Amino acid sequence: MKQGFYRMFIELTNNRATSGFLRKFSTSRLSKVLIKPYINAFKLNMEESKNTSFPTLHALFTRELKNDARPIYAGENELACPVDGVLESHGKIEKDIQFIVKGKTYSIIEMLGSKEMADKYNEGYYMVLYLSPSHYHRIHSPIAGEVISQFELGAKSYPVNKAGLTYGKDPLSKNYRVVSEVKSSENGKHIAMIKVGAMFVNTIVVTAKEKRLKKGSEVGYFSFGSTVVLLFEADSFTANNKLKSGQPIKVGENLGKLH
């Protein structure tokens, strides 16, 4: 009953007109009146922001940080956290190229749009990193390497918060998303980074135009809170044993070992 009501509500509110209005409003000068209330409501740390004045709410969402605000603690052959957020879930990918989050089974074939691409991650490892509207929205490269493919999938986006993951229609594999596959220069293996759009505002902007990526370099940003899914090939990654699902994380922190 609860699941059905949740989905019905989302379907009624998540339409093109609503999304278009919110996108237009957040990028308009009218949204400036909400900037201070937003900062106060979400207790944003503006001391680490490169700018302290913003023309629109969207400019605040996509703010850049000072150069020293997110040092890269991950060393050689270690995975740098690509976003500020919460480690929602992590674990081993099953033999049928699936993993489970909040009781839902996610098909990596559906998530990546190709069995050929998904096969290389069979029995590998996954991480789901959730960004709320309160988080820094820029995305950074978790490794040094080369982008070997990048493409878009999906159309609409549903919430990717706890309620969305519990009651939604498989948002990690059905939402609008940008998939980047990177070949690591550290271990020669592939990592898939799936940037998943959030409710209403589908915008995911790719800012890195070059194929070669430095660890910690910016690759893009979300226009609102969202999620990043990381996929690793079998026997190529071991998560930091101090990590726990639900813990806060920041760009540059060591999430585990590449091998």
Side-chain angles (χ1 to χ4, degrees):
M1 180 70 176
K2 186 185 289 186
Q3 180 174 333
F5 176 79
Y6 177 88
R7 288 183 177 175
M8 181 183 70
F9 174 76
I10 296 303
E11 289 290 349
L12 289 173
T13 56
N14 190 25
N15 57 60
R16 185 174 295 178
T18 308
S19 298
F21 171 77
L22 289 174
R23 186 179 293 110
K24 187 172 289 187
F25 175 76
S26 69
T27 56
S28 75
R29 297 279 175 174
L30 293 174
S31 67
K32 190 172 182 177
V33 298
L34 296 180
I35 289 177
K36 282 188 178 179
Y38 189 94
I39 290 172
N40 294 332
F42 287 104
K43 298 180 174 60
L44 304 187
N45 179 7
M46 300 311 296
E47 290 185 5
E48 63 184 16
S49 177
K50 185 176 288 186
N51 299 310
T52 55
S53 178
F54 304 93
T56 67
L57 199 55
H58 178 267
L60 174 67
F61 290 157
T62 59
R63 67 192 178 278
E64 295 181 80
L65 301 185
K66 293 175 181 176
N67 292 336
D68 60 351
R70 293 292 181 273
I72 305 303
Y73 293 109
E76 188 177 357
N77 294 319
E78 291 178 340
L79 185 84
C81 185
V83 292
D84 282 12
V86 173
L87 178 61
E88 192 65 50
S89 180
H90 65 108
K92 188 173 175 59
I93 296 169
E94 304 298 332
K95 289 182 179 180
D96 50 5
I97 332 179
Q98 297 177 334
F99 61 84
I100 299 173
V101 178
K102 302 294 182 185
K104 287 185 175 298
T105 300
Y106 286 94
S107 164
I108 293 176
I109 297 172
E110 184 176 21
M111 187 176 292
L112 298 179
S114 159
K115 185 177 187 304
E116 181 182 3
M117 187 174 178
D119 276 341
K120 71 180 69 169
Y121 301 104
N122 197 20
E123 298 189 69
Y125 204 86
Y126 78 92
M127 284 185 161
V128 178
L129 315 174
Y130 168 66
L131 294 76
S132 77
S134 68
H135 288 116
Y136 165 60
H137 291 5
R138 301 234 162 203
I139 311 160
H140 297 256
S141 179
I143 59 170
E146 181 180 4
V147 179
I148 59 173
S149 67
Q150 189 159 261
F151 53 92
E152 300 177 10
L153 291 171
K156 280 188 177 182
S157 286
Y158 298 87
V160 287
N161 56 13
K162 288 186 179 180
L165 291 175
T166 303
Y167 303 119
K169 297 169 67 175
D170 304 337
L172 298 182
S173 57
K174 288 187 169 63
N175 276 18
Y176 168 75
R177 55 205 182 277
V178 175
V179 179
S180 303
E181 192 170 37
V182 183
K183 183 177 181 180
S184 171
S185 60
E186 297 171 269
N187 67 354
K189 301 292 186 179
H190 297 95
I191 292 177
M193 183 160 65
I194 302 105
K195 283 114 18 213
V196 184
M199 184 182 179
F200 299 129
V201 184
N202 274 345
T203 309
I204 300 169
V205 176
V206 175
T207 57
K209 305 305 179 186
E210 62 277 4
K211 293 291 186 181
R212 299 293 306 179
L213 300 176
K214 294 180 180 179
K215 184 182 292 183
S217 62
E218 183 187 303
V219 297
Y221 62 80
F222 293 111
S223 287
F224 209 63
S226 197
T227 292
V228 171
V229 179
L230 298 175
L231 304 176
F232 306 89
E233 292 187 59
D235 304 318
S236 70
F237 175 74
T238 301
N240 188 329
N241 59 17
K242 294 181 181 179
L243 293 177
K244 294 181 180 179
S245 294
Q247 78 173 68
I249 51 174
K250 286 187 176 181
V251 170
E253 292 180 357
N254 173 20
L255 294 185
K257 190 78 172 176
L258 301 166
H259 47 77

